[in-house]
């Protein structure tokens, strides 16, 4: 039975999705596996560096990213033809098996080629999993509960992602590499167990009729195309700033740049958590497109001004604002795509949404890296801020976005 109070369910909101047992089980399993993922993300660089050097680490991270991008279209196609739940179940069991094999790959008898093969498979299975995860939500929740469900899910994932590095650091300090990998494998097995207990509230739709598949929908839906383009451009101009330009800027302007970088990411994470929760409430507002465009403008202005902010408190406050805007935008965009997409092709639509955001990041990292190397991080912030403002202008020119 749910422990949600009846008065909390008087209108669809943040707590309403929790009355559904399937949703609770799904999110609980994914929070645990996300925590395991973060532990693995912390341990991976050290595992690779013990076996190779920095170039090997770059190759491994590239392989992981390539696997994710390649897996997303496959995951969307399988989710539509099979079922999101079954795709997620196979992906979780597959990742658990790969992690068990990686225990051998990181041992004396293993090597970098075996580790690289395992990382490609992990990335591929993660790419397969993600669109299925977002495609299963509408089968578990009522349409008016989707925004709240996405907000709760994203908020819990952000919390797990924030706790992951701390847990991962402690795990690496107290456990062997094999034990850390085994723990991560166990989280995927638990996640698979929760999926076995999840039952959809609505039957899976039939296959899309001829002429009504993904590409036909994309050609006639200006709103979908606009959201995908804006999501990709936002990744290209904003997200990579936090991972490339920001640490270099802080290292040059603060004596303890590493500590300050940790504070900045913590501030951004706090804002992201607040933003994801707020998105479940602001979804009820009319003309959400104008809200999204306004947040993009704020994001662009903050990025442009960031290098000129004095002291430490002002940049920390800016990071909270950036995180808040990102949290609201991600949930609003996700819910919008889920609600406008036909059920029979939702997996493929979510695969496109996943692929453009995943693929945009490594491209953005290279572009921002070139700007930082040639002009410095300050110029990178200026370019990134102008890029986000350009995205808002592009969106404002689209009636489908303004009326969303």
């Amino acid at each position: 039975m749910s422990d949600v109070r009846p008065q909390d369910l008087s209108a669809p909101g943040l707590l309403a999705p929790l009355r559904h047992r399937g949703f609770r089980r799904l999110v609980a399993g994914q929070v645990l596996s996300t925590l395991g993922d973060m532990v693995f993300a912390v341990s991976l660089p050290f595992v690779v560096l013990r076996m190779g050097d920095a170039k090997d680490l770059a190759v491994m991270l590239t392989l992981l990213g390539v696997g994710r991008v390649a897996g997303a279209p496959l995951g969307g196609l399988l989710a539509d033809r099979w079922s999101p739940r079954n795709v997620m179940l196979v992906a979780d069991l597959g990742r658990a098996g790969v992690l068990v094999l990686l225990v051998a790959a990181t041992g004396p008898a293993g090597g970098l080629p075996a580790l690289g093969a395992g990382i490609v498979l992990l990335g591929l299975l993660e790419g397969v999993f993600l669109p299925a995860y977002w495609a299963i939500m509408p089968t578990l929740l009522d349409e008016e509960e989707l925004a709240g469900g996405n907000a709760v899910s994203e908020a819990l994932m952000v919390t797990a992602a924030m706790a992951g590095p701390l847990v991962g650091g402690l795990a690496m300090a107290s456990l062997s590499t094999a034990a850390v990998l085994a723990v991560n494998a166990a989280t995927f097995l638990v996640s698979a167990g929760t999926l076995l207990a999840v039952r959809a509230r609505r039957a899976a739709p039939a296959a899309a009729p001829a002429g009504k598949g993904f590409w036909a929908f994309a050609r006639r839906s200006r709103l979908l195309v606009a959201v995908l383009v804006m999501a990709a451009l936002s990744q290209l101009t904003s997200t990579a700033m936090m991972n490339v330009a920001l640490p270099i800027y802080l290292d040059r302007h603060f004596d303890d740049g590493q500590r300050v970088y940790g504070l900045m990411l913590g501030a951004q994470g706090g804002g992201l958590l607040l933003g994801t929760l707020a998105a479940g409430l602001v979804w009820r507002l009319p003309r959400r497109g104008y809200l999204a465009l306004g947040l993009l403008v704020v994001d662009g202005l903050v990025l442009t001004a960031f290098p000129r902010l004095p002291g430490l408190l002002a940049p920390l406050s800016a990071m909270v604002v950036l995180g808040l805007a990102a949290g609201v935008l991600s949930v609003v965009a996700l819910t919008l795509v889920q609600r406008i997409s036909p059920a029979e092709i939702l997996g493929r639509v979510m695969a496109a949404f996943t692929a453009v955001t995943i693929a945009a990041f490594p491209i953005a990292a290279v572009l921002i890296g070139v700007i930082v190397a040639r002009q410095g991080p300050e110029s990178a912030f200026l370019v990134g801020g102008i890029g986000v403002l350009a995205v808002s202008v592009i969106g404002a020119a689209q009636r489908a976005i303004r009326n969303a």
Side-chain angles (χ1 to χ4, degrees):
M1 295 292 292
S2 170
D3 56 0
V4 179
R5 298 170 300 173
Q7 58 266 38
D8 291 329
L9 301 177
S10 57
L14 289 179
L15 294 181
L18 295 174
R19 65 192 173 118
H20 302 297
R21 185 180 291 109
F23 175 78
R24 296 198 304 270
R25 290 172 175 171
L26 173 71
V27 173
Q30 296 321 303
V31 167
L32 183 59
S33 64
T34 298
L35 185 61
D37 280 341
M38 293 301 102
V39 172
F40 178 74
V42 171
S43 62
L44 178 61
F46 299 97
V47 171
V48 175
L49 292 175
R50 289 171 185 170
M51 304 171 68
D53 54 24
K55 292 182 180 179
D56 296 316
L57 177 58
V59 170
M60 295 298 172
L61 293 176
T62 301
L63 291 175
L64 185 64
V66 169
R68 286 171 176 165
V69 175
L74 178 61
L77 181 64
L78 292 176
D80 288 335
R81 294 191 176 181
W82 197 4
S83 81
R85 173 179 170 272
N86 290 340
V87 172
M88 295 165 63
L89 182 61
V90 170
D92 271 348
L93 292 174
R95 285 186 285 183
V98 171
L99 284 165
V100 171
L101 294 176
L102 283 183
V103 173
T106 57
L112 285 173
L115 180 62
I119 287 177
V120 170
L121 287 175
L122 282 177
L124 184 70
L125 290 167
E126 182 177 350
V128 166
F129 180 91
L130 288 173
Y133 178 72
W134 297 122
I136 200 175
M137 285 291 189
T139 71
L140 301 176
L141 301 174
D142 296 329
E143 184 174 317
E144 65 271 17
E145 295 173 331
L146 270 178
N150 288 330
V152 170
S153 173
E154 285 287 276
L156 291 173
M157 300 305 173
V158 169
T159 302
M162 292 173 65
L166 174 61
V167 176
L170 294 174
M172 286 298 294
S174 57
L175 301 174
S176 65
T177 299
V180 171
L181 294 174
V183 169
N184 195 10
T187 65
F188 286 120
L189 291 176
V190 172
S191 175
T194 63
L195 285 171
L196 286 173
V198 170
R199 294 292 181 269
R201 299 177 61 234
R202 281 179 290 280
K212 295 187 178 181
F214 170 77
W215 292 111
F217 175 63
R219 282 193 296 270
R220 68 175 185 268
S221 176
R222 292 184 177 181
L223 181 56
L224 173 65
V225 173
V227 170
L228 292 179
V229 171
M230 291 177 66
L233 291 177
S234 295
Q235 285 283 77
L236 281 170
T237 54
S238 178
T239 307
M241 301 295 300
M242 300 302 104
N243 295 276
V244 181
L246 180 62
I248 296 175
Y249 172 81
L250 296 177
D251 186 58
R252 293 182 181 181
H253 290 81
F254 290 89
D255 294 333
D256 50 352
Q258 289 183 340
R259 182 185 69 85
V260 175
Y261 184 51
L263 293 174
M264 294 289 177
L265 292 183
Q268 184 194 30
L272 189 62
L273 180 60
L274 292 174
T276 54
L277 292 173
L281 302 176
V282 302
W283 176 261
R284 303 180 195 176
L285 299 176
R287 296 297 180 93
R288 293 174 294 268
Y290 284 101
L291 171 65
L293 293 171
L295 288 173
L296 284 171
V297 171
V298 171
D299 194 301
L301 293 175
V302 171
L303 282 175
T304 303
F306 191 89
R308 299 172 182 82
L309 297 177
L312 180 60
L313 182 59
L316 284 173
S317 301
M319 293 299 292
V320 173
V321 172
L322 290 173
L324 182 67
V328 174
L329 287 170
S330 63
V331 173
V332 168
L334 174 63
T335 306
L336 187 61
V337 171
Q338 288 172 329
R339 293 187 67 165
I340 67 173
S341 301
E344 62 270 16
I345 61 167
L346 181 57
R348 278 164 283 181
V349 174
M350 297 315 305
F353 186 79
T354 301
V356 297
T357 54
I358 293 176
F361 176 75
I363 298 173
V366 172
L367 294 176
I368 296 297
V370 171
I371 296 173
V372 169
R374 294 185 177 181
Q375 302 294 331
E378 293 82 2
S379 296
F381 276 102
L382 178 62
V383 171
I386 292 174
V388 174
L389 292 173
V391 172
S392 68
V393 172
I394 293 172
Q398 303 297 318
R399 181 181 297 177
I401 290 293
R402 298 195 304 270
N403 295 337

